[in-house]
Amino acid sequence: MKLLYISISGNTRSFVERLAALSEEQHEQDPSLPIFEVKEISENSPFELEEEAFVTFVPTYLEGGNGVDNGDTEILTEVMREYLEYEDNYKNCLGVIGSGNKNFNYQYCLTAKQYSEAFDFPLLADFELRGNDADLKRIYDVLKDLPAN
Ligand SMILES: Cc1cc2nc3c(=O)[nH]c(=O)nc-3n(C[C@H](O)[C@H](O)[C@H](O)COP(=O)(O)O)c2cc1C
């Protein structure tokens, strides 16, 4: 299964790469388990039709405010939204995993929540910053059981 992600400062990239490495280790022990393939979306990415099911990872960058009655405008990650809109790619997205920083309170992982609402796919999980080993295991367990595998 493919994991599509965007990462501005490297935290999400680090997390999905560790997740892919974990999936390979688990697959070696039990070949019935899926291998995750990662694909980074950035300003320079060619837009492509995603023909198979995938999961989206998006960190949160908002334009200030409290995320409730102001400051809910996505910045820096919009290319992921455009990629999901392209050729209706979002229809093959099984869900979104958000990342952020809990210091942002109401705005924590708000972009992933907005994607879930706008595209009508589930918010599967969230993690802070680079994620720890417990986050890795928890999110691996969510992904390995998805129907795409
Ligand atoms: C300018 C800026 C704005 C941010 N805004 C939010 C926010 O509104 N909510 C949130 O949960 N995290 C926010 N963060 C934290 C990032 O989402 C967090 O550092 C994340 O791990 C970055 O992922 P990346 O390194 O893959 O880009 C913000 C970080 C920066 C630098």
Side-chain angles (χ1 to χ4, degrees), residues 1-4 15-16 19 36 53-58 84 90 92-99 108-117 119-128 134-149:
M1 184 174 67
K2 223 187 257 184
L3 311 181
L4 260 58
F15 190 78
V16 296
L19 208 47
F36 304 150
F54 64 92
V55 169
T56 298
F57 283 70
V58 67
L84 291 168
Y90 71 91
N92 273 329
C93 180
L94 297 172
V96 60
I97 296 187
S99 57
Y108 175 62
C109 291
L110 192 59
T111 304
K113 291 176 187 165
Q114 290 172 334
Y115 281 18
S116 168
E117 201 176 311
F119 296 112
D120 198 24
F121 46 55
L123 177 66
L124 296 169
D126 61 79
F127 64 95
E128 268 196 287
D135 296 322
L136 206 60
K137 175 80 177 67
R138 170 174 58 86
I139 292 178
Y140 173 79
D141 284 343
V142 170
L143 296 181
K144 79 173 173 31
D145 293 328
L146 288 176
N149 300 307

Side-chain angles (χ1 to χ4, degrees), residues 7-12 59-62 100-101 104 107-109 129:
S7 186
I8 310 299
S9 69
N11 290 343
T12 311
T60 318
Y61 290 91
L62 299 170
N101 182 333
F104 285 87
Q107 287 186 201
Y108 175 62
C109 291
L129 302 172

